[in-house]
């Protein structure tokens, strides 16, 4: 009897251990080995064998959808797959396409918690996303979230003023300049200008670019006076600044520009352009009637082929995108972001690509993306994409002869 009881106990133990092992296996309900896909990362639809890069554009304020972002991603895929512009053609097998996610970005659930799940239900082979909408908040990754790598091609507000989440925590790289990045670059430029020791700021000091500019100026030892009301000429007369910076809406900006000009102020004059685009779609605040007098400085977060003084780079951008796309804001940034993602895709092993588990390909792409060499049209300065995120490009323009002229190209 004692022997029988012992054998029964051993058998029960084996059953318990076996059940734990089964539940620990990917797709089970218990703990998983490190690096394996989470249970809710399994796709709802059967994988068709076609991988896709998602293009997430912004809504066009004029109506309809932004098509520039999707066209730029498609152009990058065509060039890369054919081996043009540095691509090695490694994406031909299995097939790789582009999926326009712009019409499928709304979610009624808090923090878009089910948004990526909905995308994968539509496109089981979705491997990564080139994002254009800077306002859309995607769910953070973790043990219960999908490992879907994202590259933001357009500017993102809120960066540069505090610790940013690591890519390992978010699976989201943001290599374009934010409004805070642009504020910091403008502050550095003003602080370095000869004779600038005092700067008068008019506008909302809680706005990202203004707050970053004021903090940076003060950190560099520049005295700052910030006002949000009252006659501009009176504020300038009392403070006697060496430079003026304006930040506000188009209507306020038009009035303030006129007031500064009428005051006779002869120091450095800088402004934040309220009509500047934030992505490939048209800016809802765009006002063609806003007239900026000569001599004013502004800061820009996107490349403009019409203002670039380097003829070789202008030609390269036009060759890559064509004349139409080359002149659209953030189109080349989108193209380069897609090229980086495709270069990372080239490093994904054939075993992961050919698996019937798209999560394996997604995870491999996510791991490769931050350190992939940047071979894009504008990204030649960086050896890896994560460096581009740490030091995005910012441009400074000066108004001359009724037109903007690119004055400087700087890094955050």
């Amino acid at each position: 009897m004692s022997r029988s009881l012992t054998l029964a106990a051993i058998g029960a133990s084996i059953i318990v251990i076996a059940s734990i092992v089964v539940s620990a296996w990917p797709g089970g309900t218990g703990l998983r080995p490190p690096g394996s896909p989470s249970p809710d990362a399994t796709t709802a639809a059967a994988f068709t064998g076609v991988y896709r890069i998602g293009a997430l554009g912004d809504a066009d304020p004029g109506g309809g959808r932004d098509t520039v972002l999707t066209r730029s991603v498609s152009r990058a895929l065509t060039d890369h797959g054919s081996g043009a512009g540095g691509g090695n053609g490694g994406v031909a097998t299995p097939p790789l396409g582009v999926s326009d996610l712009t019409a499928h970005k709304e979610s009624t659930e808090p923090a878009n918690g089910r948004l990526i799940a909905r995308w994968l239900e539509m496109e089981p082979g979705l491997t990564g996303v080139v994002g254009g909408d800077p306002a859309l908040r995607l769910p953070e990754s973790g043990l219960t979230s999908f490992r879907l790598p994202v590259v933001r091609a357009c500017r993102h507000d809120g960066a540069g003023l505090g610790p940013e989440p690591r890519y390992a925590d978010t699976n989201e790289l943001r290599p374009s300049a934010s409004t805070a990045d642009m504020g910091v670059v403008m502050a550095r430029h003003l602080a370095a200008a000869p004779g600038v020791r005092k700067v008068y700021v008019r506008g909302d000091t809680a706005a990202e670019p203004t707050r970053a500019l004021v903090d940076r100026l003060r950190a560099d030892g520049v005295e700052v006076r910030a006002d949000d009301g009252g006659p501009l000429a009176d504020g300038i007369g009392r403070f006697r600044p060496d430079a003026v910076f304006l930040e506000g809406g188009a209507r306020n900006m038009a009035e303030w520009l006129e007031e500064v000009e009428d005051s006779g102020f002869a120091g450095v004059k800088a402004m934040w352009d309220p009509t500047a685009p934030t992505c490939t779609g048209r800016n809802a605040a765009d006002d063609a009637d806003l007239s900026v007098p000569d001599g004013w400085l502004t800061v820009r977060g996107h490349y403009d082929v019409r203002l670039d003084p380097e003829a070789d780079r202008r030609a390269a951008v036009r060759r890559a995108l064509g004349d139409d796309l080359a002149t659209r804001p953030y189109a080349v940034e989108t193209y380069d972001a897609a090229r980086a993602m495709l270069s990372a895709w080239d490093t994904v092993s054939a075993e992961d690509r050919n698996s019937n588990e798209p999560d394996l390909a997604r995870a491999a792409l996510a791991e490769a993306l931050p350190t992939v060499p940047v071979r894009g049209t504008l990204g030649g300065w960086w050896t890896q994409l994560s460096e581009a995120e740490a030091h995005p490009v910012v441009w400074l323009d000066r108004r001359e002869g009724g037109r903007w002229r690119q004055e400087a190209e700087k890094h955050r």
Side-chain angles (χ1 to χ4, degrees):
M1 182 179 298
S2 175
R3 182 180 181 185
S4 298
L5 290 174
T6 301
L7 291 175
I10 293 173
S13 299
I14 292 173
I15 292 173
V16 171
I17 293 171
S19 66
I20 292 174
V21 171
V22 169
S23 66
W25 198 255
T29 58
L31 298 175
R32 302 176 305 281
S36 64
S38 60
D40 59 352
T42 55
T43 54
F47 180 53
T48 63
V50 177
Y51 286 110
R52 296 189 185 276
I53 299 296
L56 180 65
D58 199 359
D60 192 314
R65 297 213 312 265
D66 166 28
T67 63
V68 174
L69 189 136
T70 302
R71 289 162 57 199
S72 299
V73 174
S74 298
R75 186 81 180 230
L77 176 61
T78 299
D79 290 349
H80 191 88
S82 65
N88 61 16
V91 296
T93 304
L96 185 66
V98 176
S99 179
D100 187 354
L101 302 174
T102 306
H104 307 285
K105 65 180 182 178
E106 301 300 332
S107 175
T108 58
E109 298 194 22
N112 295 308
R114 284 283 299 166
L115 184 58
I116 296 179
R118 290 175 55 216
W119 288 347
L120 294 181
E121 289 172 0
M122 295 185 306
E123 297 287 358
L126 187 67
T127 62
V129 173
V130 179
D133 184 352
L136 181 66
R137 179 183 175 186
L138 296 178
E140 294 184 357
S141 67
L143 291 178
T144 59
S145 297
F146 297 104
R147 188 167 173 78
L148 184 66
V150 177
V151 176
R152 294 279 192 180
C154 303
R155 82 183 193 204
H156 58 290
D157 292 346
L161 298 179
E164 280 292 292
R166 298 174 305 163
Y167 177 76
D169 298 326
T170 63
N171 292 331
E172 184 176 323
L173 280 167
R174 292 158 287 190
S176 294
S178 69
T179 54
D181 293 326
M182 290 183 263
V184 168
V185 168
M186 176 63 82
R188 287 175 177 166
H189 186 80
L190 294 178
V196 173
R197 296 292 180 268
K198 300 167 66 176
V199 176
Y200 181 82
V201 175
R202 168 59 62 92
D204 181 9
T205 55
E208 298 286 358
T210 312
R211 184 161 49 129
L213 176 133
V214 170
D215 290 347
R216 182 68 197 197
L217 284 172
R218 287 173 173 164
D220 287 343
V222 177
E223 186 179 354
V224 178
R225 171 75 58 81
D227 285 338
D228 58 3
L232 249 173
D234 290 350
I236 292 174
R238 289 193 302 269
F239 187 54
R240 302 178 64 85
D242 307 305
V244 168
F245 176 81
L246 307 179
E247 183 276 327
R251 180 176 299 179
N252 288 337
M253 187 64 67
E255 297 175 357
W256 292 344
L257 289 170
E258 185 176 355
E259 287 186 53
V260 174
E261 292 296 305
D262 292 344
S263 73
F265 176 74
V268 180
K269 296 176 286 189
M271 61 171 287
W272 176 262
D273 185 358
T275 67
T278 60
C279 198
T280 49
R282 185 171 58 85
N283 186 351
D286 191 3
D287 186 352
D289 295 330
L290 179 63
S291 177
V292 180
D294 285 354
W296 283 81
L297 286 166
T298 193
V299 66
R300 172 166 45 92
H302 67 91
Y303 175 80
D304 193 327
V305 70
R306 296 162 296 189
L307 301 181
D308 189 354
E310 296 185 19
D312 290 343
R313 188 165 59 182
R314 293 198 309 268
V317 170
R318 292 185 183 276
R319 281 195 306 270
L321 295 177
D323 288 338
D324 177 37
L325 278 178
T327 59
R328 299 298 296 267
Y330 288 100
V332 69
E333 284 84 0
T334 301
Y335 177 84
D336 283 351
R339 291 273 302 276
M341 184 166 281
L342 292 168
S343 295
W345 176 251
D346 285 348
T347 69
V348 177
S349 69
E351 180 181 3
D352 287 338
R353 292 194 204 185
N354 294 319
S355 168
N356 287 327
E357 294 291 338
D359 286 328
L360 298 178
R362 277 189 283 270
L365 177 62
E367 184 176 354
L369 185 59
T371 56
V372 68
V374 177
R375 293 175 281 179
T377 313
L378 298 180
W381 302 282
W382 315 114
T383 58
Q384 55 189 31
L385 190 58
S386 56
E387 291 182 10
E389 180 179 35
H391 306 283
V393 183
V394 176
W395 289 266
L396 287 166
D397 300 331
R398 181 181 296 277
R399 193 76 169 177
E400 291 184 358
R403 303 177 65 179
W404 290 110
R405 180 183 64 82
Q406 182 172 309
E407 180 167 289
E409 179 179 328
K410 298 180 179 293
H411 304 294
R412 166 68 166 83

